[in-house]
Structures are given as structure tokens and as C-alpha cells.
């Protein structure tokens, strides 16, 4: 059974804050739903994303992150960032260094759960994915792009730095020199370049985006769930290990798999 064939069994909505959650069997879909403002992100949306991560059922194996309308996300909602609310930039600047860092850590949690070894996360990206939008896609394990997709790490244009968990993944994907160029220029990266430099898992015509994501989801689900989780953990930690350490991690992971599959249970 493919993801497209699965019957929806659980749905909860939070359209009022701009994030919708749906679950069909082992597939959860998180949808940004503020298309009238190009899915510009707010702290309320980040709070809802964090809530979803805490409530995610254990039987979910794939999380798809998508967006309504013509853009994935235009980034931080500047009307909120430049306003006078508790999470505005001005209010954050008034906090102590420790309190400000703690507040940002809370924002980061809305993104970083997508790296969890227990799930495979897939971003379906159309149109612009700017700043926080780019970092949301980067925190996903794979990124399927429509041919009109455009990435940009635009924080520098506000005098800020990327702080939502995207810099390490970006560096791992494209290397430190290219990552620096992308971050300090804030330039737009078209889908074909994203594919060429390793930011995209696949690039497809806009009309084929949903089908391509469904096919990739079905392929992930066809693998043993525990094996997939072990593989994700192995690869996620590889860049921080020496060859000898990675060899050991492989041995240990395979030992666990053999014990689970073929062990006597003693």
C-alpha cells in the first residue's frame, strides 16, 4: 500500500496559527497554511510545530512538510518580528543573554525534531523558501523541489544570523565555503542549482511534486522500520566520527539488527 492509498485515520487542525497536522497510517503531513502571506512564519507557528513533535504517535515513520499556495515559506513574518509582542526582535534584545538564548532554543525545537532517528522527514518545496523557510527544509532529511523552487538564507539582510538549526546541515550538504557564500550573500538559489550542489534530493515539475513525494514516501515505507532508523542514525553521525569510529558504529548497529531479526531471545 502506498502513502496515497492509506486511509486518513487521524486529523487535527490548527489553521488559526497557520499549521495543519494530518496523519494517514504511518505518514504524518505537516502543512504550513498561511498562503495569503506566503506562509511567513511566526512564533505561534513554531509553538504548534513543537506541539506536534511532542504528540507525534510512535507509529509514524515518515513526516512530510509541505505548504499551501505558491511558496513554501517567505521566512520570518516581519510584521511580528518588528512589532511589540513578546517574541519581537526588540523584546528579545531586552532579555538577558541567557534568557534570549533560551527563547531561541525554544524556537529551534520547532525545527530540530525533524532530524529524529525514529522518523524520515521529507520537505516538499515549491516557490520561495527563504530564511526560516529554507531552514525548515534543511532540517528535513530529504528535500523534493518543484522546478520553481528558490532557496535563500536571507537573515544577513536583516543583520541577523541563521539560528533555526540550518547551518550545520547546510555545511554538511554543500561544504563550508559554499555554505558561507550562501549565508553571507543571502542570494536566491534556483532549483537546478540546488540540485547540482546537493541541496535537493530531487527536482520535478511543479505539477508532479505531490506524486514525487508520495513515491519517495512509499519507497521509505517499503524498508524495515528499525533498519531505516539505524541507517539514519549511522549517516547522521558519520560526519562527526573518524573512520574507525564509524566502522564501530556500523558493527554495533548490525549486531542490534541481527539480534532483533534472528536472535534466540536469550
Amino acid at each position: 500500500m502506498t502513502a496515497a492509498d492509506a486511509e486518513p485515520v487521524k486529523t487535527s487542525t490548527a489553521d488559526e496559527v497557520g499549521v495543519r497536522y494530518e496523519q494517514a497510517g504511518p505518514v504524518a503531513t505537516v502543512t504550513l497554511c498561511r498562503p495569503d502571506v506566503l506562509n511567513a512564519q511566526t512564533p505561534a507557528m513554531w509553538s504548534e510545530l513543537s506541539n506536534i513533535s511532542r504528540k507525534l504517535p510512535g507509529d509514524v515513520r515518515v513526516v512530510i512538510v509541505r505548504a499551501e499556495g505558491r511558496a513554501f515559506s517567505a521566512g520570518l513574518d516581519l510584521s511580528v518580528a518588528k512589532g511589540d509582542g513578546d517574541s519581537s526582535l526588540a523584546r528579545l534584545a531586552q532579555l538577558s543573554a541567557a534568557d534570549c538564548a533560551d527563547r531561541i532554543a525554544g524556537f529551534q525545537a520547532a525545527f530540530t525534531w525533524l532530524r529524529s532517528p525514529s522518523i524520515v522527514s521529507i520537505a516538499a518545496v515549491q516557490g520561495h523558501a527563504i530564511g526560516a523557510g529554507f531552514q525548515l527544509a534543511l532540517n528535513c532529511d530529504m528535500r523534493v523541489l518543484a522546478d520553481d523552487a528558490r532557496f535563500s538564507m536571507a537573515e544577513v539582510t536583516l543583520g541577523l544570523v541563521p539560528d533555526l538549526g540550518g547551518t550545520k546541515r547546510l555545511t554538511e550538504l554543500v561544504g563550508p565555503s559554499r555554505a558561507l557564500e550562501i549565508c553571507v550573500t543571502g542570494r536566491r538559489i534556483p532549483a537546478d542549482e540546488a540540485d547540482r550542489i546537493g541541496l535537493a534530493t530531487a527536482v520535478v515539475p511543479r505539477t508532479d511534486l505531490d506524486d514525487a513525494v508520495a513515491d519517495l514516501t512509499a519507497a521509505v515505507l517499503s524498508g524495515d522500520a528499525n533498519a531505516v532508523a539505524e541507517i539514519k542514525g549511522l549517516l547522521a553521525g558519520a560526519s562527526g566520527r573518524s573512520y574507525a569510529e564509524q566502522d564501530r558504529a556500523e558493527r554495533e548497529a548490525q549486531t542490534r539488527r541481527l539480534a532483533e531479526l534472528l536472535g534466540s531471545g536469550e
Side-chain angles (χ1 to χ4, degrees), residues 41-54 87 92 95 98-113 163-165:
Q41 297 177 38
T42 66
M45 294 171 71
W46 299 340
S47 178
E48 182 61 22
L49 287 170
S50 293
N51 288 338
I52 289 170
S53 74
R54 289 189 287 268
S87 296
L92 290 176
L95 298 175
D99 287 344
C100 184
D102 285 346
R103 186 71 64 85
I104 294 171
F107 299 157
Q108 290 174 330
F111 294 68
T112 56
W113 67 274
D163 64 345
L164 296 171

Side-chain angles (χ1 to χ4, degrees), residues 17-55:
V17 297
V19 178
R20 183 184 308 120
Y21 173 84
E22 299 166 292
Q23 184 186 343
V27 181
T29 301
V30 177
T31 304
L32 307 184
C33 49
R34 300 183 74 209
D36 53 323
V37 291
L38 302 180
N39 298 305
Q41 297 177 38
T42 66
M45 294 171 71
W46 299 340
S47 178
E48 182 61 22
L49 287 170
S50 293
N51 288 338
I52 289 170
S53 74
R54 289 189 287 268
K55 299 174 183 177

